[in-house]
Amino acid sequence: MHLPYPPRKASNPAPYLPRSSPLPGLRRTRLKLIALVALAFITLIYLVSRPSNKHADSVQWKPSGKPPVVLVTVLDEKKYGKGYLQTIVENRIQYAEKHGYEAFFAKVGDYDLKGAPASWTAVVAVRHALTKFPDCHYVWYLEQNAFVMNPELKIEDHVMQPSRLEELMKKDFPVVPPDSIIRTFSHVKGQEIDLVITQDKAGLSVGSFIVRNSDWARFFLETWFDPLYRSYNFQKAETHALEHIVQWHPTILAKMAIVDQNIINSYSKGAKGAQYKNGDLVVRFSDCSTAGKAQECETESQPFATKWRKAFANS
Amino acid sequence: MSLSRSPSPVPGGGWASPGLNIPSGRSSPTRGVTGSNGTPVMWESSRLKRGGSAGYPSFSTKNEGFFGRHMRRLSRSLPRFSTSPYYADKEKLGRGRWPIHNVPLLGRIRGIVGRMGRRMKIRLMVLLMILLSIFTFYNTPMVYHWRRTTWLGGGQKFVIILGANVGGGVMEWKGAREWAIERDSVRNKKKYVARWGYDLEIVDMSTKKRYAHEWRESWEKVDFIRTALRKYPKAEWIWWLDLNTFVMEPSYSLQDHIFDNLEKHIYRDINEYNPLNITHPLTDQYLDDDERSPVGDGNANSVNLILSQDCSGFNLGSFFIRRSTWTDRLLDIWWDPVAYEQKHMEWEHKEQDALEQLYISQPWIRKHTGFLPQRMINSFPTGACAEGGKNPRIHYDEKDRDFLVSMAGCEWGRDCWGEMYNFRELSYYLNRTWWERFKEDFLAMIWFKLTGQKVKF
């Protein structure tokens, strides 16, 4: 339908120009003023508010990973023959060189243990390695009577990768066999783990363990090395001290993962723990060292020595 | 009255007020009041204003001056004589008064403001703002919330744990004195906490057998600190206080007194004051530089435990511990059955000696521990550590206005309640307001000089 007239103009036209902006108060000069006032206000708030001081934990220092792994071994030169120790040192150095690791050797008697059994040297040696290589990611302690058998495996990939670790670690698992009340936590994540250790038939096995370089590692090692533990006459010295602190102190238990022995701690004989299979990273001659007969270790290690030399030469 | 202006004496015209004798019932101004002489009456002032042009009505509808503007309002507020028979004599009391309150308050204020000059208005405004700010800040809960807020005053970062009910419960009946001590101590802390916006956690230290296989007496501290950290998630520092303590200067905030300048106040090298003769720093080759340095890493942010030393070593009557993973570890390690089994015969002060032992043997603990001069957080009365006489490092001195007094060891042969009472009174005396000082020091003194009598106002 057509309208007869065009739409009417307003009969009272606006006397002024229409508004240029929806808010007439916001002219440019006003905007400046508002900005200034806002700035002053924010400054005031900034001045009266307290700076939140950085939490001590938040500024934790991160190691750069040079070298990625330090392989620690404590040598007992008084008890064992030179040739045998030489083989062990070569084994460690070759493995370390292959992956860009460092091998760190300590000798029994290097540290003042204040009358504690010589086996405690291992704990201090690992602590010393952390001091000496503050940029390393992991410290792997492997006791003297053992060989690295598989040169291909890297610690970072084979064990310490968080996803890999989550597959490996035994959750809700009694810390001391067969059935201690204290069990490993079932909800820990791979990246939270700072200590990887194994368990043989007698209990935790301290012949081979990996510690991640962290604040916690220092705390753990220093606590483990406490003079009151050393003087307590634990039957198995540092092994039992470790079992003790792991079971009594949840801050330690929460960072520990127990993995299968075959991962880092296979035994040459299957009587006391998992027996060595081809392809395992490590073989340990655990019987001979507890028996304390140096000669036995050397003979037991002979076949493995030729084997690792061959494996390393091939790789 | 029908005029909107009062009759005024004019230089030439005498008291010409012609409208007054006209009994007019109208309230609106008449146009041109006819005077007795037949000409329109013109007031002198209005004639001057209008440039002498006669012939127009004398009143003006413009707002001229106060009276012109407020005539109506004022006249309305005048007493009225009601002629109505219904209301006669009903309100005898109000008769003849000026019911000024009939004018609405807002209207009155508006009137006053309207009569004020612009500059005056601004001045008044500023004054009002200042007064209002002072009021809102100091007389409302605002100051409390300000001091509490983490990013303003930061009070929420501090939690005081007060170990109450020491040795009570099953072991011992509490007598009147013990109750009085507890009441005073708790009230003192409550006041302090309310003033600065901290949190107070009063815990029951009565000796209980918490663990079936062990008697962990006085290691409950550890559990209480853990619980408090969980209960107050914003707390950064926990301040442990024994029951026999008294905050002498409630006007000191913890931030001001200690934490704003932590580097300045604490000492980490124990050789500065070393009653236990601890070898420091550690020198073992296998330790980090931090652990071999006498001051840790030297950064005050890495201090997680702050305590003081008295004449015989560490004192845990008053200490600070910070929320951190380090603290979790310390609280976890602090009580260990193997250490306890070997040492419990020597450890007279249980957790205190255990901490000393840990400090001596554990480098990781040493590097995060700081010490405060004892009198900053833990002054002793002269009865404690009394062997060497009064020691300016240990004993309370009212001239220095020490922050806190700890009646350490008063339960062994000293009068806890007496000490507490004296310190309480001393604290009140030292912290009198200026008005109390004026009354007691000045007025009462004058009165004493004049009459020889002691009075209390």
Side-chain angles (χ1 to χ4, degrees):
Chain A
M1 199 177 118
H2 285 279
L3 290 165
Y5 300 108
R8 239 201 230 177
K9 282 184 190 167
S11 32
N12 299 317
Y16 307 110
L17 279 174
R19 283 174 176 177
S20 53
S21 70
L23 284 172
L26 285 177
R27 305 249 171 73
R28 179 165 295 178
T29 46
R30 289 252 175 105
L31 271 176
K32 264 185 203 164
L33 188 73
I34 289 170
L36 270 177
V37 168
L39 194 73
F41 185 71
I42 290 168
T43 319
L44 189 76
I45 292 289
Y46 172 77
L47 285 178
V48 297
S49 66
R50 273 162 190 281
S52 60
N53 22 346
K54 287 257 160 55
H55 208 276
D57 294 350
S58 64
V59 285
Q60 219 183 49
W61 170 77
K62 283 220 159 109
S64 61
K66 279 182 216 160
V69 175
V70 177
L71 180 49
V72 178
T73 308
V74 176
L75 303 172
D76 192 343
E77 287 179 331
K78 282 174 200 143
K79 266 168 85 179
Y80 296 90
K82 265 219 166 121
Y84 173 61
L85 291 183
Q86 193 55 42
T87 326
I88 290 160
V89 169
E90 264 174 46
N91 173 259
R92 304 290 191 273
I93 288 176
Q94 282 191 26
Y95 176 70
E97 272 176 0
K98 184 161 175 19
H99 298 296
Y101 299 165
E102 285 281 347
F104 175 75
F105 298 98
K107 294 184 191 83
V108 168
D110 275 1
Y111 309 102
D112 177 17
L113 302 175
K114 307 237 163 69
S119 56
W120 279 99
T121 313
V123 183
V124 206
V126 174
R127 180 69 193 81
H128 194 183
L130 283 175
T131 302
K132 218 174 162 189
F133 304 98
D135 275 321
C136 70
H137 275 147
Y138 307 106
V139 174
W140 177 22
Y141 172 75
L142 183 59
E143 67 141 5
Q144 172 198 281
N145 298 312
F147 287 137
V148 179
M149 296 301 286
N150 190 339
E152 305 300 331
L153 295 176
K154 294 176 79 173
I155 289 296
E156 305 98 299
D157 305 332
H158 178 56
V159 190
M160 294 309 288
Q161 189 113 48
S163 53
R164 166 85 173 147
L165 204 49
E166 261 166 62
E167 289 167 29
L168 292 176
M169 60 202 257
K170 300 178 174 181
K171 294 175 176 176
D172 196 25
F173 185 77
V175 172
V176 179
D179 51 353
S180 80
I181 322 164
I182 309 295
R183 293 162 163 267
T184 54
F185 289 114
S186 52
H187 54 265
V188 280
K189 301 252 161 38
Q191 65 263 26
E192 292 167 3
I193 294 299
D194 282 351
L195 167 68
V196 173
I197 202 162
T198 59
Q199 197 188 62
D200 61 14
K201 281 175 185 167
L204 293 179
S205 167
V206 296
S208 170
F209 61 87
I210 303 167
V211 172
R212 202 161 64 89
N213 180 10
S214 60
D215 229 23
W216 182 88
R218 288 166 172 78
F219 148 70
F220 162 66
L221 292 165
E222 286 163 16
T223 304
W224 189 5
F225 194 59
D226 192 296
L228 287 178
Y229 295 145
R230 275 179 281 157
S231 64
Y232 189 62
N233 282 329
F234 281 114
Q235 193 194 350
K236 284 194 191 165
E238 83 287 355
T239 310
H240 279 173
L242 178 68
E243 280 176 6
H244 166 79
I245 57 173
V246 158
Q247 293 187 74
W248 275 92
H249 301 301
T251 48
I252 292 173
L253 184 61
K255 295 279 185 180
M256 185 189 78
I258 295 179
V259 300
D260 261 334
Q261 257 192 282
N262 290 111
I263 305 296
I264 53 168
N265 193 16
S266 313
Y267 287 173
S268 56
K269 292 173 187 164
K272 288 191 176 164
Q275 195 172 6
Y276 171 78
K277 301 192 302 284
N278 276 335
D280 282 357
L281 180 63
V282 162
V283 65
R284 261 186 72 206
F285 321 112
S286 60
D287 286 351
C288 74
S289 53
T290 45
K293 287 175 204 143
Q295 202 57 45
E296 219 168 275
C297 284
E298 283 168 42
T299 48
E300 195 180 335
S301 71
Q302 282 307 330
F304 290 102
T306 48
K307 208 172 170 187
W308 75 254
R309 281 187 199 280
K310 212 197 268 170
F312 274 67
N314 289 341
S315 68
Chain B
M1 201 166 96
S2 60
L3 286 179
S4 60
R5 358 182 70 209
S6 72
S8 57
V10 282
W15 287 94
S17 47
L20 289 175
N21 48 16
I22 297 167
S24 154
R26 292 160 67 171
S27 59
S28 62
T30 42
R31 197 193 141 86
V33 179
T34 320
S36 54
N37 53 3
T39 54
V41 172
M42 198 80 164
W43 304 107
E44 186 63 18
S45 57
S46 78
R47 185 163 43 214
L48 286 173
K49 251 181 221 153
R50 322 197 77 201
S53 66
Y56 283 101
S58 65
F59 67 89
S60 158
T61 50
K62 280 189 228 154
N63 283 340
E64 286 179 48
F66 166 72
F67 208 74
R69 267 181 281 136
H70 300 286
M71 178 67 203
R72 177 70 49 82
R73 203 168 282 137
L74 288 178
S75 71
R76 222 189 311 148
S77 70
L78 288 173
R80 249 179 279 203
F81 297 96
S82 174
T83 47
S84 159
Y86 301 108
Y87 298 112
D89 292 335
K90 201 149 201 196
E91 199 201 2
K92 279 182 182 161
L93 284 173
R95 196 196 285 169
R97 292 192 184 173
W98 283 62
I100 195 83
H101 49 265
N102 280 356
V103 182
L105 183 70
L106 202 69
R108 238 187 302 162
I109 290 171
R110 207 185 291 153
I112 292 166
V113 171
R115 263 167 276 136
M116 237 186 280
R118 185 188 167 82
R119 201 173 274 182
M120 189 64 182
K121 262 186 213 166
I122 292 175
R123 277 183 204 150
L124 262 180
M125 208 60 162
V126 170
L127 188 74
L128 202 74
M129 285 297 285
I130 292 172
L131 283 176
L132 194 76
S133 315
I134 291 173
F135 174 75
T136 44
F137 196 74
Y138 288 103
N139 293 53
T140 61
M142 194 173 137
V143 62
Y144 176 77
H145 291 293
W146 175 285
R147 283 172 174 170
R148 243 183 106 64
T149 314
T150 332
W151 52 280
L152 293 173
Q156 271 179 325
K157 288 188 188 165
F158 299 92
V159 171
I160 299 180
I161 305 185
L162 179 65
N165 207 15
V166 186
V170 277
M171 297 290 284
E172 221 177 282
W173 290 105
K174 279 209 283 194
R177 280 162 172 262
E178 281 77 30
W179 283 112
I181 289 167
E182 191 166 315
R183 180 201 64 203
D184 271 16
S185 178
V186 168
R187 184 161 57 196
N188 173 248
K189 310 300 179 303
K190 273 188 180 162
K191 267 190 188 166
Y192 182 69
V193 156
R195 176 162 183 166
W196 292 106
Y198 308 141
D199 283 305
L200 176 65
E201 181 77 2
I202 301 165
V203 295
D204 179 9
M205 296 285 283
S206 59
T207 37
K208 277 183 206 145
K209 211 172 176 181
R210 278 165 190 277
Y211 305 91
H213 54 289
E214 290 290 350
W215 184 267
R216 284 169 66 167
E217 191 185 338
S218 86
W219 259 276
E220 296 97 342
K221 268 183 195 178
V222 170
D223 293 336
F224 289 135
I225 292 170
R226 274 208 203 106
T227 318
L229 283 171
R230 226 175 305 134
K231 186 171 170 187
Y232 302 97
K234 284 189 179 167
E236 190 185 345
W237 285 99
I238 302 273
W239 185 17
W240 179 277
L241 281 177
D242 276 354
L243 186 66
N244 292 323
T245 54
F246 202 87
V247 179
M248 294 298 284
E249 300 294 334
S251 59
Y252 294 9
S253 75
L254 290 177
Q255 293 96 318
D256 225 29
H257 189 54
I258 300 166
F259 289 97
D260 284 352
N261 270 315
L262 199 56
E263 305 88 348
K264 257 195 219 159
H265 297 310
I266 54 167
Y267 62 96
R268 294 170 86 166
D269 185 354
I270 199 172
N271 292 319
E272 199 170 316
Y273 177 63
N274 197 351
L276 292 170
N277 275 323
I278 294 169
T279 316
H280 188 81
L282 294 164
T283 48
D284 301 277
Q285 44 163 342
Y286 58 84
L287 295 174
D288 290 328
D289 291 345
D290 279 2
E291 295 177 329
R292 275 183 296 184
S293 114
V295 292
D297 64 357
N299 181 356
N301 271 340
S302 71
V303 173
N304 290 325
L305 173 71
I306 302 177
L307 68 162
S308 63
Q309 298 186 90
D310 61 19
C311 55
S312 57
F314 291 13
N315 187 290
L316 291 184
S318 158
F319 67 94
F320 294 92
I321 195 161
R322 182 189 213 170
R323 179 194 298 278
S324 62
T325 42
W326 182 91
T327 301
D328 293 343
R329 288 170 196 158
L330 171 66
L331 296 179
D332 189 16
I333 290 297
W334 204 331
W335 192 83
D336 185 275
V338 166
Y340 186 73
E341 192 183 325
Q342 292 177 75
K343 291 283 186 178
H344 70 277
M345 297 301 278
E346 299 166 35
W347 285 352
E348 219 178 291
H349 298 291
K350 299 168 196 298
E351 87 289 354
Q352 199 168 294
D353 293 324
L355 184 69
E356 283 173 5
Q357 165 71 31
L358 284 172
Y359 181 87
I360 291 167
S361 58
Q362 295 298 339
W364 64 275
I365 286 181
R366 214 179 262 220
K367 75 174 169 180
H368 289 287
T369 306
F371 299 93
L372 276 171
Q374 193 189 347
R375 278 178 51 204
M376 274 198 84
I377 54 165
N378 203 10
S379 304
F380 276 5
T382 38
C385 276
E387 288 81 35
K390 190 164 174 172
N391 186 339
R393 180 179 269 282
I394 294 169
H395 293 122
Y396 177 83
D397 190 341
E398 66 170 88
K399 282 198 201 79
D400 293 337
R401 307 294 288 269
D402 288 354
F403 179 41
L404 183 116
V405 160
S406 166
M407 276 75 64
C410 66
E411 59 270 43
W412 288 293
R414 276 161 44 210
D415 179 10
C416 278
W417 167 237
E419 286 181 7
M420 173 76 87
Y421 177 82
N422 284 334
F423 278 113
R424 187 188 78 190
E425 292 305 308
L426 181 61
S427 172
Y428 290 164
Y429 176 77
L430 292 173
N431 289 294
R432 286 172 302 167
T433 59
W434 64 270
W435 175 240
E436 286 166 331
R437 277 164 202 273
F438 173 73
K439 282 192 301 183
E440 290 164 23
D441 292 354
F442 188 70
L443 289 184
M445 192 50 70
I446 288 174
W447 190 257
F448 179 70
K449 288 263 163 69
L450 288 177
T451 64
Q453 280 175 322
K454 288 202 170 174
V455 282
K456 231 182 159 183
F457 290 102

